[in-house]
Amino acid sequence: MLVVENLVVRYGPITAVRGVSIEVGAGETVALLGPNGAGKTSIVSAVIGLVPSTGRVSFDGRDVSNLSPEERVRAAMTVVPEGRRVFANLTVAENLRLGGFVRRRERDQDGERDRYLAMFPVLRERLDQLAGTLSGGEQQMLAIARAMMSKPRLLILDEPSLGLAPRIVARIFEHIVELKKSGITIVLVEQNMMQALAVADRAYVLSTGTIRHAGPAAELRADPRLADLAIGGH
Ligand SMILES: Nc1ncnc2c1ncn2[C@@H]1O[C@H](COP(=O)(O)OP(=O)(O)OP(=O)(O)O)[C@@H](O)[C@H]1O
Ligand SMILES: [Mg+2]
């Protein structure tokens, strides 16, 4: 469903991603792992069209490399950005509506909204609350629900567990499993390797902009080199 070929991302003199190739099949959950600065967010940003890159990004057999981020969302790929980035001064309901704005008709959104309010009941109780006043875990749930309102077939989650208490992280991962069961294709970016590998089918491990290891999640979990890979060793 997603094919990334020889992706290179440069920021001035810095090369953050050095020729990365990734494939994600329909219905798969694929983890993108690696330490701080490995290039994970740069890959995600390039895949969704938010930073310039060279190489090729294809989605559903179609080259999307030259599409704008909005056109890519319309093509049914979407990202839950690192740090959540909900619209703090808008209410929960308004955030959800914005997530669905690429859908043509407003009333088409209702069924979708009900579905994600059922999944995240905490949001239903807070529809009129400003998103900026939600707790970190609630903001992450809103960010996921907002992304799902665009009816993606590919959902990219950039470090959904970042800065959250272990109990909340466990709940976020339960929700990811629930989304996975619904059949959506997921790319899960995480530093939290063990937890990500527990829900992923396959994983790529990056450091300094290069893929160091790729394989089935179960295999990686048992790999004695994992601790080393987690801190950027080869
Ligand atoms: N906008 C930018 N301008 C310049 N350099 C950048 C920019 N964004 C990222 N970088 C650099 O690119 C490299 C990769 O950063 P990136 O954010 O992709 O890593 P990451 O794997 O997502 O890290 P983290 O786990 O900390 O989020 C880093 O060296 C970073 O300093
Ligand atoms: Mg990042």
Side-chain angles (χ1 to χ4, degrees):
M1 175 171 268
L2 177 71
V3 181
V4 176
E5 292 164 281
N6 201 22
L7 189 76
V8 176
V9 179
R10 291 193 186 87
Y11 304 105
I14 295 166
T15 304
V17 180
R18 304 166 184 269
V20 161
S21 298
I22 290 170
E23 284 190 30
V24 182
E28 266 195 314
T29 294
V30 172
L32 218 56
L33 308 171
N36 286 121
K40 304 180 300 296
T41 297
S42 299
I43 293 171
V44 165
S45 303
V47 164
I48 204 78
L50 291 170
V51 298
S53 61
T54 62
R56 213 167 105 106
V57 179
S58 315
F59 182 62
D60 263 349
R62 167 187 180 204
D63 187 345
V64 297
S65 309
N66 295 315
L67 297 188
S68 70
E70 191 189 327
E71 287 168 326
R72 295 187 208 203
V73 173
R74 280 187 204 284
M77 55 204 293
T78 196
V79 64
V80 178
E82 186 177 294
R84 314 185 247 285
R85 291 199 236 133
V86 294
F87 298 104
N89 295 320
L90 299 182
T91 65
V92 167
E94 288 163 343
N95 268 274
L96 291 173
R97 202 176 312 135
L98 277 173
F101 92 103
V102 293
R103 310 281 308 284
R104 261 189 308 260
R105 284 197 308 269
E106 190 101 349
R107 70 190 151 84
D108 289 346
Q109 290 189 21
D110 291 351
E112 218 57 21
R113 197 179 92 151
D114 287 346
R115 183 171 165 198
Y116 295 106
L117 290 178
M119 185 168 185
F120 304 107
V122 74
L123 298 180
R124 190 190 292 281
E125 295 158 18
R126 291 170 172 75
L127 277 174
D128 298 323
Q129 190 173 325
L130 292 182
T133 64
L134 296 175
S135 72
E138 289 162 0
Q139 287 188 20
Q140 187 63 58
M141 291 177 204
L142 175 58
I144 294 171
R146 185 183 62 184
M148 291 306 297
M149 288 294 292
S150 72
K151 263 198 145 181
R153 281 178 297 120
L154 172 67
L155 177 69
I156 306 173
L157 297 155
D158 193 351
E159 300 213 40
S161 74
L162 194 71
L164 301 179
R167 185 175 53 86
I168 308 297
V169 171
R171 278 184 49 203
I172 297 289
F173 275 92
E174 280 168 22
H175 287 305
I176 294 171
V177 170
E178 205 177 337
L179 289 169
K180 175 183 172 164
K181 283 185 184 148
S182 78
I184 189 170
T185 307
I186 298 176
V187 172
L188 176 59
V189 174
E190 268 295 336
Q191 282 192 55
N192 196 333
M193 283 202 174
M194 273 325 212
Q195 240 156 336
L197 289 173
V199 306
D201 302 306
R202 286 190 303 115
Y204 293 88
V205 186
L206 290 136
S207 70
T208 57
T210 307
I211 292 171
R212 304 290 177 188
H213 199 92
E219 219 168 83
L220 262 164
R221 287 184 84 182
D223 194 320
R225 293 171 301 166
L226 191 66
D228 216 25
L229 290 165
I231 55 165
H234 310 161

